[in-house]
Amino acid sequence: MNFYLKSKNIKFVIVVIPLNYQVDEELRQSFIKNNLEDEKFDMRQPQESILEWAQKNSVAAIDLMPELSKLEKEDDLYWKLNAHFNAKGNEAVGN
């Protein structure tokens, strides 16, 4: 795919979007309690794997987790019943 995009002079960029429980501390604690009781889990592992792959393959990648983690403290960015962005989340990512 990268070869095709380069042949068309199109830059390939991956945007790594965290799940709601990765940026919301309350949801994270609930997720851990309900799913990982006695296990250690690195919430950044999925992002780190993707970013490592992108770097090795010379693909630009944008990790939204650090910024969304800051913003989530002020506003709810995801719908309560699913892990999709609500209007505030879409606005935050668009900015």
Side-chain angles (χ1 to χ4, degrees):
M1 179 168 40
N2 208 13
F3 175 78
Y4 174 79
L5 294 174
K6 283 181 181 181
S7 75
K8 302 290 185 187
N9 201 26
I10 299 170
K11 186 174 183 175
F12 180 45
V13 179
I14 295 173
V15 178
V16 186
I17 301 172
L19 293 169
N20 55 352
Y21 62 81
Q22 289 181 288
V23 298
D24 182 302
E25 183 63 32
E26 188 175 313
L27 288 176
R28 180 175 26 257
Q29 293 308 317
S30 177
F31 175 82
I32 291 168
K33 181 181 176 187
N34 293 325
N35 298 287
L36 306 167
E37 214 167 288
D38 295 323
E39 299 176 42
K40 291 185 179 181
F41 183 75
D42 179 6
M43 288 289 171
R44 286 210 40 84
Q45 189 275 328
Q47 280 75 7
E48 296 299 333
S49 294
I50 294 168
L51 295 172
E52 181 182 329
W53 177 89
Q55 185 177 19
K56 285 180 181 176
N57 290 280
S58 301
V59 173
I62 301 169
D63 181 8
L64 298 179
M65 191 169 173
E67 190 63 29
L68 292 180
S69 293
K70 293 178 203 170
L71 295 175
E72 181 65 32
K73 293 174 185 170
E74 302 165 14
D75 289 314
D76 289 332
L77 303 175
Y78 297 84
W79 292 108
K80 292 294 181 198
L81 300 177
N82 65 49
H84 292 90
F85 290 128
N86 61 22
K88 287 182 183 179
N90 279 305
E91 184 177 340
V93 171
N95 289 332

